[in-house]
Amino acid sequence: MSRSFVAAAAQLGPIERGAGRAAVVARLLALMREAKASNCRFVVFPEMALTTFFPRWLIDDPAEVAGYFEDSLPGPETQPLFDAARDWGVGFYLGYCERVPGREGADHLGFNTAVLVDQAGTIVGKYRKVHLPGNATYDPALKLQHLEPWYFLPGDLGFPVFEAFGGRLGLLLCNDRRWPESWRMLGLQGAELVALGYNSPAQLPDNPAQNALRKMHHLLPMQSAAYQNGTWVVAAAKAGPEGGCDMMGHSCVIAPSGEVVALSSGLGDELLPYRVDLDATAEYKRFFDFATYRRPECYGLLTEPHR
Amino acid sequence: MSRSFVAAAAQLGPIERGAGRAAVVARLLALMREAKASNCRFVVFPEMALTTFFPRWLIDDPAEVAGYFEDSLPGPETQPLFDAARDWGVGFYLGYCERVPGREGADHLGFNTAVLVDQAGTIVGKYRKVHLPGNATYDPALKLQHLEPWYFLPGDLGFPVFEAFGGRLGLLLCNDRRWPESWRMLGLQGAELVALGYNSPAQLPDNPAQNALRKMHHLLPMQSAAYQNGTWVVAAAKAGPEGGCDMMGHSCVIAPSGEVVALSSGLGDELLPYRVDLDATAEYKRFFDFATYRRPECYGLLTEPHR
């Protein structure tokens, strides 16, 4: 039986600080409708796809911060996404902020999370971001803050894989893509497609010498990981000018060969559909044949605590 | 004090099956002489730089197989390389086959090894290849054999790093470059430059669909690893038509940004000098800041035995 289907990166343009859920969900639904019309079974939305990327600000108001988190998923405002998945047969990956019940204040309210929803509108699995980039406290010396370790708890679910869409899927979030360990953890569990949403500045005002390398540093680790683990990658950006920051686009589909086979061209809401064949992963999984060729007894340092 | 110096990949063209050590050593010396004239402090020779890549054949004659191994290094035929290092102030990385005393027969005579020699002609360190690709037994179904696991013992020295040339260096060999674990083991120990020699077919007669991807699959994992570990890479090929097989060139220098900053243009003996600044690694080591951002407690599978 063929394990080939159309998947899509569903890039989002900017979401401004005051945007309500209803307007954002309407945009997600429009992309899901386009996905259905494009014969897609699975769409990948960005990290924090329901709100602006608020960790670029230190926000004192607990009510505003709480407003970026979901108390439940689905909730009243997000239920239409799950209904659409079921009615249209379009599953999705959705990045959002997951509130931990009982937590109060403006910091560490919960996790930077992604869920995987199948074509019946059912949550198949959840991942909580392991690699939180940036600073745990406000640094007045920086032009651009990145306060994920202030707002979020470090992910505590490891790197799970899920049976869905006729194959085995893994979920990652943004900065996870720069760490080969993230991909290998999924590869060792047989992941055939990895979905990843991200919010990444296109420029680094505190280190402008890096600006010309941003696209390369986005794609390179994912391409290498796709090849080294024999997996498809579908990666979706929150792109464009958001909250005074230019966010990178370059949403993409990467084949198990490591080739970028689809790439978004704009910085707005954009569906990037591509037919993925999960059986195309087998050649690379055979080539690297972990059981024969990996030497875990030589890798001890990889899991040792840092001094 | 500046930690910038000129290093070079010293690519070798083919070495035929009957070639004697004297002729090969003369070619290596010519490249070292050119290195001295180019103000190089350090040259990287290929894997198995003293002989043809014999694991492409199943050779029954124990005397021929033993002839591909060095009983000692330096030995009578290789002493001139060490003398040149001292006389000219040109250190080197050299890949060779290391005979284990007492082993007999035509298989598993020793290790696929690289040594690091400093500008005084002294051996600073040794690495034995951990990731041996190919088959442990002859497979009549294959057009091209790759019998490293038949001829060699798996490397038993781990992934050491060495203080040399004013910095910290790591050594890898060929197929190691495709495994992110190799690089991370060196990166965790602070490697600032990784030297790597290789023998890689430019075409795969048993899987010609891969031919167009060979160069990408050579460069991609090294570029990604350079970036993810903040290290320079100097990689040297045994290139050109050797023993009925077209061997890949593409010797290169890769910056800690992941950019390929020098690339060989031919398939013969060729020196590829490039000024490397070890201090340029600091920016990437700071960005990835392993102690703060890695989550080794989440990476358990990486060091577990395969089922």
Side-chain angles (χ1 to χ4, degrees):
Chain A
M1 188 181 127
S2 168
R3 298 200 301 145
S4 156
F5 62 91
V6 180
Q11 179 175 288
L12 289 177
I15 300 177
E16 286 309 323
R17 191 163 175 175
R21 288 287 187 288
V24 175
V25 168
R27 287 166 61 186
L28 301 182
L29 288 170
L31 286 162
M32 287 178 74
R33 192 175 289 112
E34 185 182 343
K36 175 179 160 52
S38 304
N39 195 32
C40 282
R41 275 191 216 168
F42 178 47
V43 301
V44 177
F45 289 117
E47 177 193 42
M48 266 181 247
L50 299 171
T51 65
T52 197
F53 185 78
F54 66 92
R56 69 171 70 92
W57 301 295
L58 182 63
I59 300 169
D60 292 328
D61 175 11
E64 180 181 348
V65 176
Y68 294 120
F69 283 76
E70 309 303 307
D71 288 324
S72 66
L73 197 82
E77 293 154 311
T78 49
Q79 184 62 47
L81 299 170
F82 292 77
D83 296 342
R86 183 197 60 220
D87 294 345
W88 301 340
V90 177
F92 61 84
Y93 161 112
L94 180 77
Y96 71 106
C97 303
E98 179 191 5
R99 178 81 174 265
V100 171
R103 292 200 66 92
E104 303 292 339
D107 63 293
H108 298 98
L109 288 196
F111 298 98
N112 188 342
T113 298
V115 283
L116 181 64
V117 175
D118 68 13
Q119 292 172 280
T122 306
I123 291 180
V124 177
K126 184 194 282 190
Y127 166 70
R128 292 168 171 165
K129 188 174 180 177
V130 165
H131 298 101
L132 296 175
N135 299 325
T137 55
Y138 182 85
D139 182 348
L142 293 179
K143 292 177 188 153
L144 179 63
Q145 305 295 319
H146 197 111
L147 291 161
E148 288 192 54
W150 168 252
Y151 287 115
F152 299 112
L153 301 163
D156 60 354
L157 300 177
F159 294 95
V161 295
F162 305 103
E163 303 295 329
F165 304 97
R168 188 166 290 187
L169 270 66
L171 316 180
L172 294 176
L173 279 158
C174 196
N175 179 50
D176 288 323
R177 74 192 183 287
R178 305 188 196 274
W179 300 85
E181 292 88 349
S182 317
W183 301 95
R184 191 57 111 208
M185 287 297 294
L186 297 175
L188 286 170
Q189 298 172 85
E192 297 169 303
L193 187 152
V194 176
L196 180 144
Y198 58 96
N199 283 266
S200 299
Q203 291 97 36
L204 298 182
D206 296 294
N207 192 359
Q210 286 284 309
N211 291 353
L213 298 166
R214 293 290 288 162
K215 180 181 177 186
M216 184 181 100
H217 289 164
H218 159 60
L219 293 175
L220 181 63
M222 295 199 290
Q223 292 184 256
S224 188
Y227 165 60
Q228 291 170 324
N229 293 285
T231 183
W232 290 90
V233 179
V234 181
K238 177 112 67 58
E242 186 192 272
C245 183
D246 283 327
M247 304 300 282
M248 172 190 296
H250 311 311
S251 298
C252 57
V253 179
I254 298 173
S257 65
E259 292 171 291
V260 176
V261 291
L263 189 66
S264 67
S265 55
L267 293 170
D269 293 10
E270 177 178 345
L271 193 78
L272 187 72
Y274 191 87
R275 178 167 286 277
V276 300
D277 181 358
L278 299 184
D279 289 333
T281 63
E283 170 167 8
Y284 292 95
K285 292 188 188 294
R286 232 178 1 247
F287 175 78
F288 282 112
D289 185 4
F290 292 159
T292 301
Y293 294 118
R294 279 185 90 246
R295 302 276 315 276
E297 73 279 13
C298 299
Y299 306 152
L301 273 184
L302 301 188
T303 50
E304 287 181 16
H306 289 272
R307 288 142 298 177
Chain B
M1 189 182 126
S2 167
R3 297 199 301 144
S4 156
F5 62 93
V6 180
Q11 178 174 289
L12 289 176
I15 300 177
E16 286 310 322
R17 192 162 175 176
R21 288 287 187 289
V24 175
V25 167
R27 287 165 61 184
L28 302 182
L29 287 170
L31 286 162
M32 288 178 74
R33 193 175 289 112
E34 184 181 345
K36 175 180 160 51
S38 305
N39 194 32
C40 283
R41 274 190 217 168
F42 179 47
V43 301
V44 177
F45 289 115
E47 177 193 43
M48 266 180 248
L50 298 171
T51 65
T52 198
F53 185 77
F54 66 93
R56 68 171 68 94
W57 300 294
L58 182 64
I59 301 169
D60 292 328
D61 175 10
E64 180 181 348
V65 176
Y68 294 121
F69 283 76
E70 309 303 308
D71 287 323
S72 65
L73 197 82
E77 294 154 310
T78 49
Q79 183 63 48
L81 299 170
F82 292 77
D83 296 342
R86 184 198 58 220
D87 294 345
W88 301 341
V90 176
F92 62 83
Y93 161 113
L94 180 76
Y96 71 106
C97 303
E98 180 191 4
R99 178 82 174 264
V100 171
R103 292 201 65 93
E104 302 294 338
D107 63 292
H108 300 97
L109 287 197
F111 298 98
N112 188 342
T113 297
V115 283
L116 181 64
V117 175
D118 69 13
Q119 292 171 280
T122 306
I123 292 181
V124 177
K126 183 194 282 191
Y127 167 69
R128 292 168 171 164
K129 188 173 180 180
V130 165
H131 298 101
L132 296 175
N135 300 324
T137 54
Y138 182 84
D139 182 348
L142 293 179
K143 291 178 188 152
L144 180 62
Q145 305 295 321
H146 198 110
L147 291 161
E148 288 192 54
W150 169 251
Y151 287 115
F152 298 113
L153 300 163
D156 61 355
L157 300 177
F159 295 95
V161 295
F162 305 102
E163 303 295 330
F165 304 98
R168 187 166 291 188
L169 270 66
L171 316 180
L172 294 175
L173 279 158
C174 196
N175 179 50
D176 288 323
R177 73 192 184 287
R178 305 188 196 274
W179 299 85
E181 293 88 349
S182 317
W183 301 95
R184 190 58 110 208
M185 288 297 294
L186 297 175
L188 286 170
Q189 297 172 84
E192 297 169 303
L193 187 153
V194 176
L196 181 144
Y198 58 96
N199 283 266
S200 299
Q203 291 97 36
L204 299 182
D206 296 293
N207 192 359
Q210 286 285 309
N211 290 353
L213 298 167
R214 293 290 288 163
K215 181 181 177 187
M216 184 181 100
H217 289 164
H218 159 60
L219 293 174
L220 181 61
M222 294 198 290
Q223 292 183 258
S224 188
Y227 164 60
Q228 291 170 324
N229 293 286
T231 183
W232 290 90
V233 179
V234 181
K238 177 111 66 60
E242 185 190 272
C245 184
D246 283 327
M247 304 300 282
M248 171 190 298
H250 310 313
S251 299
C252 57
V253 179
I254 299 173
S257 65
E259 293 173 290
V260 176
V261 291
L263 189 66
S264 67
S265 56
L267 294 170
D269 293 10
E270 176 178 347
L271 193 80
L272 187 72
Y274 191 87
R275 179 167 285 277
V276 301
D277 180 358
L278 300 183
D279 289 333
T281 63
E283 170 166 9
Y284 293 93
K285 292 189 188 295
R286 230 173 9 243
F287 175 80
F288 282 112
D289 184 4
F290 293 160
T292 301
Y293 293 118
R294 279 185 89 246
R295 300 277 314 277
E297 74 278 14
C298 300
Y299 305 153
L301 273 183
L302 302 187
T303 50
E304 287 181 15
H306 289 271
R307 287 141 299 177

